[in-house]
Amino acid sequence: METTMKKILITGASGFIGSFIVEEALRRGMEVWAAIRRSSSLDYLQDERIHLIELNLNSEDELVEQMRDCRFDYVVHAAGVTKCLNTADFERINTAGTQHLVRALQRLQMPLQRLVYISSLSIYGAIREQQPYTEISETDTPRPNTAYGRSKLAAEQWLADQQELPYVILRPTGVYGPRERDYFMMAKSIQNHVDFAVGFRPQDITFVYVDDVVQAVFLALDHGQTGRAYFLSDGAVYRSSTFSDLIRRELGHPWWLRITAPLWLLRIVTTCGEWWGRLTGRVTALNRDKYNILSQRNWRCDITPARSELGYEPRVGLEEGVGRSIKWYKENGWL
């Protein structure tokens, strides 16, 4: 891909995945525009080569004004939310925010060569749950069981109706790595001697290290097929306990109490957590979406199209990725 002075806009640039996309774009010699909100942390956007641009994804008209003097060759739309106090906010931010951005780009007649939208495996929900589990395929009918998944699917479906928009969709499974906070909470719990799992039926888990998601983004920018959507994982399938075992090893094998709770207890805990979050006004990971995510048994997905069409090849397996992550958490004072 010719990258000399190519201009790229990255939304969600201050976030976990977005900040790594920014770094890779800089490494490739691109002119990087990092979309932020007024409240965004700039901890990972300190490079003086980065052009910061404040974008309001809640308003198409404001976006037009904010980008009026810009011309981007590429857009990576990584902005979004994974947890909210009110379920309506998923649609407002993940779905409507995507619509506002694309409509603004269209109104400005932006000369886009490619737009990459970061979606999620969660748009498929709990399917193929009969043992032995088989890979979720692009030919399966999505049945999202979370507000997050529904909002991402709605955005995908809307993109499919946009004529002449050169978009590509990526659907990663669980993304982990340095700077990520949800899996970090698991590491923190294990450091504090508790490993918590739910459900007694076997669970097949998949992961993808953040560097491999970034790899896929630039492959998609280069030669992804317009209108296509690609699953991303590291190509392996794990037991639900594998991630915890690797974290514990990297932490020096602290003693722990391994608790496996029944699903009915998880439902009570997440219902109470959601109620408490609304009462206090604080976003919490313990909510009904979290219940559906943790209770889902099959997270297998078919990455063959990404391999054959994009040339995607996972480079970081779970063992190496967990090691890198825990090392970063330690070095940066998180653990």
Side-chain angles (χ1 to χ4, degrees):
M1 178 172 62
E2 177 59 48
T3 60
T4 303
M5 296 309 296
K6 289 292 186 180
K7 297 182 181 181
I8 183 170
L9 171 68
I10 301 163
T11 70
S14 63
F16 165 47
I17 297 175
S19 62
F20 281 102
I21 297 171
V22 167
E23 290 176 3
E24 179 62 16
L26 290 172
R27 192 188 69 79
R28 291 170 178 251
M30 305 175 83
E31 183 178 311
V32 178
W33 290 75
I36 58 171
R37 295 168 296 154
R38 190 164 300 173
S39 60
S40 296
S41 167
L42 302 182
D43 288 351
Y44 308 126
L45 300 175
Q46 295 296 310
D47 194 299
E48 62 183 13
R49 294 172 293 174
I50 299 171
H51 301 270
L52 299 177
I53 179 170
E54 186 177 326
L55 296 184
N56 179 13
L57 295 177
N58 290 318
S59 170
E60 178 185 331
D61 290 337
E62 279 195 49
L63 285 169
V64 169
E65 291 305 312
Q66 290 166 330
M67 296 190 293
R68 185 171 296 281
D69 297 325
C70 301
R71 284 294 178 267
F72 302 119
D73 300 294
Y74 304 111
V75 172
V76 180
H77 185 33
V81 290
T82 59
K83 47 185 177 286
C84 296
L85 278 178
N86 300 305
T87 55
D89 288 339
F90 286 107
E91 190 280 334
R92 178 179 62 84
I93 297 170
N94 293 343
T95 309
T98 301
Q99 295 169 349
H100 294 155
L101 175 65
V102 171
R103 284 177 180 146
L105 292 168
Q106 291 170 331
R107 284 171 57 181
L108 292 166
Q109 299 183 327
M110 201 69 69
L112 291 184
Q113 296 180 32
R114 193 86 69 212
L115 180 147
V116 171
Y117 176 60
I118 308 296
S119 186
S120 171
L121 176 59
S122 290
I123 72 162
Y124 278 84
I127 65 174
R128 296 181 178 265
E129 294 265 290
Q130 298 299 315
Q131 295 178 264
Y133 306 131
T134 55
E135 292 178 337
I136 297 170
S137 165
E138 62 183 4
T139 59
D140 288 318
T141 300
R143 295 201 302 269
N145 57 357
T146 61
Y148 168 71
R150 288 188 290 271
S151 69
K152 285 291 191 178
L153 177 60
E156 284 197 22
Q157 292 171 331
W158 185 84
L159 286 173
D161 291 332
Q162 304 312 298
Q163 301 297 319
E164 300 181 2
L165 178 68
Y167 74 92
V168 176
I169 294 170
L170 299 178
R171 297 167 174 164
T173 183
V175 186
Y176 72 103
R179 307 175 189 168
E180 198 280 331
R181 293 189 176 276
D182 287 345
Y183 289 117
F184 160 71
M185 295 305 295
M186 182 185 297
K188 190 69 175 176
S189 178
I190 292 171
Q191 185 185 56
N192 292 329
H193 312 295
V194 176
D195 179 41
F196 185 79
V198 294
F200 299 101
R201 194 156 57 97
Q203 187 178 41
D204 282 0
I205 304 288
T206 53
F207 298 95
V208 59
Y209 190 70
V210 63
D211 285 6
D212 282 328
V213 176
V214 173
Q215 173 203 164
V217 165
F218 286 89
L219 288 170
L221 288 175
D222 186 12
H223 57 268
Q225 297 183 28
T226 294
R228 293 286 285 125
Y230 301 97
F231 294 118
L232 300 177
S233 77
D234 68 7
V237 178
Y238 304 94
R239 299 287 86 185
S240 57
S241 59
T242 307
F243 198 76
S244 297
D245 290 338
L246 289 171
I247 290 173
R248 184 179 182 230
R249 188 185 74 180
E250 294 299 325
L251 291 174
H253 296 279
W255 67 266
W256 64 355
L257 180 62
R258 192 167 228 169
I259 301 171
T260 301
L263 290 177
W264 62 262
L265 179 58
L266 174 66
R267 185 180 289 277
I268 292 174
V269 170
T270 53
T271 299
C272 291
E274 184 167 311
W275 174 83
W276 181 252
R278 290 179 178 176
L279 185 66
T280 61
R282 296 179 180 178
V283 177
T284 174
L286 295 174
N287 52 49
R288 283 177 289 180
D289 266 15
K290 193 67 170 180
Y291 170 81
N292 288 325
I293 290 170
L294 292 175
S295 62
Q296 185 169 324
R297 300 290 96 181
N298 179 28
W299 290 94
R300 291 173 175 259
C301 60
D302 181 13
I303 65 171
T304 303
R307 281 176 153 146
S308 61
E309 296 177 21
L310 296 182
Y312 169 74
E313 195 57 47
R315 297 168 182 163
V316 183
L318 192 62
E319 183 173 359
E320 179 182 353
V322 169
R324 290 189 192 181
S325 302
I326 298 300
K327 182 175 184 289
W328 186 91
Y329 292 138
K330 289 179 178 178
E331 290 175 348
N332 288 269
W334 290 34
L335 289 173

